């Protein structure tokens, strides 16, 4: 038997071993998912929505233990873990209130006596999920997808196996039927086999661009519908009239939340020269005030990165950027999985700090001449997840929304996911949408029904 072992990234101590599923184990999971779908798909949306309410209550009841589990497995500061669980409950409540309306037949006026669109579940959907928000990423997909009548198989990141176990138990505790939500611990070859299995009708992945290309290729090979939520290199544009005192905490949080390990984090701070010096002074001061330490301490702002190898990768990206002319304003020290909050200046295109996704607590600051140059620089990326702009000139801000081809554009706020709004990217940031009505309709058969009497 093969095992994976969860390790606490803060102290390096082993947590628990988990057995990798055998081929027969995975076959059993697939068969259970198929069997569960036969009865689950005919349950009323009202019944499924009622279970969402129980799911939300169970999440809130256990939020401290779930947050501690995340902290132990991937180093998330405990208060941020609790906030993550609360956000999961919010998403469940949102779909509990709105799923019936989202999934109701849509009447279309034609020459028929009756014509409409019926939103039918497609079957079992495989979810390949990341470690950085180990509950939120799963719940935001699973809550609407299950409520639409599908079943779910979760393949979670290998460093958060305890979260996968807890999530399956969470759904069972809330009253979901056996086989409707299951996890597997599988290697790459087994995962390819699952994608190719006829029981699986759809695939969703949240992760890196590299992982997305690999999984999307497999899904395409087998003609499976897929949604890809991939990396980002979000721009935070700061115009000369930005209210720095009002929004500085928001800008810092936009980069440093979850120790900088977020696809929608502000990674490139593109600042017009008229406000550059003031911004850099206030931004750096606020970064230096962040408290690093034990992620189980409620006062900790910056914990550790999820694994030491991730911290080493970030260290190399910074070193390569420095070799090309970037400068360290503050930070840039690593100790095992800990990476000191860092601000880089003199960053320009052609450096990893500008071109690539730095998945950790490193902010790249880019000076530009004026507003026009800031928009051009922000759009200069292969990624297209989200952008944010800080300004008091809302009228001018509205005019540039279409000039940056991202999936989201936030004015005077950090880019964030919200159950009420669609979430997703363009270009190398993926395709498809989660959350809102669009999210619940991603994995349904939009069936045309035409009746003559």
């Amino acid at each position: 038997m093969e095992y994976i072992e969860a390790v606490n990234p803060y102290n390096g101590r082993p947590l628990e071993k988990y057995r990798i599923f055998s081929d027969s184990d995975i076959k059993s999971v697939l068969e259970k998912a198929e069997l569960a779908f036969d009865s689950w798909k005919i349950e009323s949306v009202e019944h499924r929505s009622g279970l969402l309410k129980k799911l939300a209550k169970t999440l809130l009841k256990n939020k401290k233990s779930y947050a501690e589990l995340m902290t132990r497995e991937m180093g998330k500061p405990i208060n941020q873990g609790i906030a993550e669980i609360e956000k999961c409950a919010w998403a469940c409540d949102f779909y509990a209130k709105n799923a019936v309306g989202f999934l109701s037949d849509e009447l279309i006026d034609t020459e028929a006596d009756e014509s409409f669109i019926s939103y039918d579940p497609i079957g079992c959907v495989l979810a390949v999920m990341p470690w950085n928000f180990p509950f939120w990423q799963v719940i935001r997909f699973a809550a609407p997808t299950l409520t639409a009548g599908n079943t779910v198989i979760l393949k979670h990141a290998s460093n958060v196996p305890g979260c996968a176990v807890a999530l399956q138990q969470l759904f069972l505790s809330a009253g979901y039927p056996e086989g409707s939500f299951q996890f597997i611990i599988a290697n790459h070859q087994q995962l390819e086999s699952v994608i190719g299995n006829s029981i699986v009708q759809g695939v969703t992945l949240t992760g890196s661009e590299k992982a997305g290309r690999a999984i999307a290729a497999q899904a395409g090979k087998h003609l499976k519908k897929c949604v890809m939520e991939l990396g980002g290199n979000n721009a935070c544009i700061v115009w000369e009239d930005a209210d720095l005192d009002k929004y500085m905490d928001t800008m810092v949080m936009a980069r440093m939340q979850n120790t900088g390990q977020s696809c929608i984090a502000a990674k490139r701070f593109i600042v017009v020269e008229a406000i550059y010096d003031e911004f850099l002074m206030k931004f750096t001061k606020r970064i230096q005030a962040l408290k690093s330490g034990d992620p189980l301490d409620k006062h900790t702002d910056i914990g550790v990165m999820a694994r030491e190898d991730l911290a080493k990768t970030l260290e190399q990206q910074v070193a390569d950027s420095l070799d090309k002319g970037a400068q360290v304003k503050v930070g840039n020290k690593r100790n095992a999985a800990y990476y000191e909050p860092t601000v880089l200046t003199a960053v320009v295109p052609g450096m990893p700090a500008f071109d690539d996704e730095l998945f950790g607590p490193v902010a790249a600051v880019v000076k530009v001449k004026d507003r026009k140059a800031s928009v051009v620089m922000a759009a200069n990326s292969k990624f297209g997840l989200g952008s944010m702009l800080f300004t008091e000139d809302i009228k001018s801000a509205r005019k540039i929304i279409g000039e940056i081809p991202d999936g989201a554009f936030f004015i005077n706020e950090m880019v964030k996911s919200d159950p009420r709004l669609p979430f997703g990217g363009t270009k190398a940031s993926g395709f498809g949408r989660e959350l809102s009505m669009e999210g619940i309709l991603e994995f349904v058969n939009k069936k045309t029904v035409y009746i003559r009497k």
Side-chain angles (χ1 to χ4, degrees):
M1 289 184 183
E2 291 185 81
Y3 291 85
I4 59 172
E5 185 172 48
V7 176
N8 186 324
Y10 177 68
N11 55 31
R13 295 173 185 164
L15 296 170
E16 192 170 342
K17 289 184 178 181
Y18 297 83
R19 183 175 59 83
I20 295 176
F21 283 35
S22 67
D23 291 346
S24 62
D25 291 332
I26 293 175
K27 182 175 182 289
S28 176
V29 167
L30 287 162
E31 290 172 348
K32 284 181 181 178
E34 183 178 41
L35 183 62
F37 178 64
D38 289 339
S39 55
W40 182 242
K41 67 182 179 183
I42 60 177
E43 291 281 5
S44 68
V45 180
E46 288 82 1
H47 172 73
R48 299 184 208 132
S49 298
L51 292 181
L52 279 177
K53 296 177 183 178
K54 295 180 180 179
L55 195 68
K57 290 179 181 178
T58 306
L59 281 161
L60 294 176
K61 178 182 177 182
N62 299 299
K63 64 181 180 181
K64 187 173 184 292
S65 62
Y66 290 151
E68 289 173 348
L69 174 60
M70 284 189 277
T71 298
R72 289 193 301 271
E73 288 198 324
M74 51 73 60
K76 185 185 297 290
I78 187 69
N79 282 350
Q80 294 178 29
I82 290 172
E84 178 173 336
I85 299 301
E86 291 172 345
K87 189 171 185 177
C88 290
W90 177 28
C92 293
D93 285 335
F94 170 77
Y95 281 110
K97 294 174 183 175
N98 294 285
V100 171
F102 291 159
L103 296 168
S104 295
D105 294 344
E106 182 180 353
L107 300 177
I108 306 292
D109 187 18
T110 69
E111 294 79 12
D113 292 295
E114 189 177 356
S115 51
F116 57 91
I117 302 171
S118 175
Y119 300 106
D120 301 341
I122 61 171
C124 177
V125 182
L126 171 68
V128 182
M129 290 290 141
W131 47 261
N132 58 333
F133 291 89
F135 273 73
W136 169 244
Q137 308 279 17
V138 175
I139 293 294
R140 79 180 189 189
F141 152 76
T145 302
L146 281 163
T147 307
N150 301 297
T151 57
V152 168
I153 294 176
L154 167 66
K155 193 287 179 188
H156 220 326
S158 59
N159 58 328
V160 288
C163 291
V165 174
L167 280 158
Q168 179 172 299
Q169 186 56 48
L170 165 68
F171 280 93
L172 289 172
S173 298
Y176 283 79
E178 188 84 28
S180 60
F181 182 101
Q182 302 172 89
F183 78 92
I184 58 173
I185 298 176
N187 59 37
H188 292 300
Q189 186 176 353
Q190 289 173 314
L191 190 61
E192 288 185 12
S193 177
V194 172
I195 294 171
N197 192 287
S198 61
I199 293 172
V200 172
Q201 294 297 305
V203 182
T204 185
L205 174 138
T206 299
S208 67
E209 177 191 354
K210 180 181 178 181
R213 290 183 182 277
I215 296 298
Q218 287 296 318
K221 176 182 176 182
H222 297 286
L223 296 178
K224 304 290 176 74
K225 169 67 186 289
C226 62
V227 170
M228 295 288 122
E229 299 286 0
L230 309 180
N233 196 6
N234 289 5
C236 175
I237 306 167
V238 184
W239 282 354
E240 74 284 347
D241 63 342
D243 190 335
L244 297 182
D245 292 330
K246 183 177 182 180
Y247 294 116
M248 185 53 66
D249 283 349
T250 301
M251 296 183 200
V252 171
M253 178 63 74
R255 183 65 196 101
M256 296 298 169
Q257 184 181 32
N258 201 35
T259 314
Q261 300 167 118
S262 171
C263 58
I264 53 173
K267 298 184 175 81
R268 298 173 297 146
F269 289 81
I270 299 172
V271 187
V272 298
E273 61 183 7
I275 201 174
Y276 177 84
D277 290 339
E278 182 186 0
F279 168 85
L280 188 60
M281 181 268 292
K282 291 181 175 179
F283 184 69
T284 301
K285 184 178 180 180
R286 183 67 183 84
I287 293 291
Q288 290 178 306
L290 294 171
K291 184 180 185 300
S292 297
D294 186 345
L296 281 171
D297 182 342
K298 65 180 181 179
H299 300 295
T300 294
D301 300 309
I302 300 290
V304 291
M305 295 183 64
R307 300 192 311 265
E308 185 174 351
D309 65 297
L310 299 171
K312 288 180 177 179
T313 296
L314 181 63
E315 184 178 44
Q316 187 61 54
Q317 289 175 305
V318 171
D320 291 345
S321 298
L322 296 179
D323 287 343
K324 294 185 176 183
Q327 298 175 7
V328 175
K329 180 67 176 177
V330 295
N332 198 34
K333 293 184 178 65
R334 182 183 70 83
N335 180 17
Y338 171 74
Y339 204 100
E340 184 181 14
T342 301
V343 177
L344 301 180
T345 59
V347 174
V348 297
M351 299 176 180
F354 187 94
D355 297 341
D356 301 335
E357 180 178 27
L358 302 191
F359 213 67
V362 176
V365 183
V366 182
K367 183 195 288 190
V368 293
K369 181 180 180 181
D370 52 26
R371 293 184 176 189
K372 183 177 180 180
S374 74
V375 177
V376 172
M377 193 69 78
N380 181 9
S381 176
K382 69 175 181 177
F383 296 101
L385 196 50
S387 297
M388 57 207 85
L389 168 63
F390 289 86
T391 179
E392 296 298 290
D393 187 357
I394 304 302
K395 183 178 179 181
S396 295
R398 287 179 180 274
K399 292 179 180 179
I400 70 162
I401 292 173
E403 296 184 37
I404 302 175
D406 287 3
F409 189 86
F410 280 56
I411 300 172
N412 293 328
E413 181 57 277
M414 60 186 282
V415 175
K416 54 187 176 182
S417 53
D418 182 319
R420 300 164 294 186
L421 298 168
F423 179 88
T426 64
K427 301 187 288 186
S429 291
F431 49 82
R433 292 295 180 265
E434 291 187 322
L435 302 175
S436 76
M437 182 176 71
E438 282 79 3
I440 202 170
L441 298 182
E442 280 287 6
F443 291 105
V444 298
N445 174 22
K446 300 179 177 104
K447 181 183 294 180
T448 295
V449 180
Y450 191 99
I451 302 172
R452 283 196 183 277
K453 297 179 182 176

